[in-house]
Amino acid sequence: MEPLTEHRRVSGPVVYGFLRLINVSVARQAALSASLAEYCHQHELSLCGVFTERTTVVHSGAFIGLMDVLELPDTYGVVLPATSHLGPRGIAAGRGKRIAAAGARLLLVRGEKKPSPSHHGLSGPVGDLTRHCGRGPAPALEAES
């Protein structure tokens, strides 16, 4: 009898890491690399390589290399510690668009902070419900007695 699927070694979707390390200590680099590896392990992703950018130029060899591997078949996405690793806002926005255009997912170890409802002028349970815009019915309000 063959072992159950849970007991077989199955490789997850293929991803590549990207780190922007300018004036970063060796210890910080090791910690960031370890965070990418741990994230991939927890989410059953196959981390096949990490591209490290050490310059401030827009078209660095590391980013060009990343874009090249995104063209490979079976590549699922790019793992970053945070969006800041794509560069300053203007550069990061363009790079994010290029990654999306390549059909790859952008996976963040530390997700972006979402504003709380109070930042939109909405507060309390009614404000939360009025912001519901997903598929399916919105949760019903409790009737007052």
Side-chain angles (χ1 to χ4, degrees), residues 20-26 28 53-56:
R20 188 170 195 263
L21 304 175
I22 299 170
N23 298 324
V24 173
S25 70
V26 175
R28 176 84 172 135
E53 182 175 74
R54 297 184 187 281
T55 68
T56 58

Side-chain angles (χ1 to χ4, degrees), residues 122-139:
L122 304 171
S123 62
V126 175
D128 292 338
L129 293 174
T130 59
R131 293 184 49 225
H132 178 78
C133 57
R135 292 192 177 136

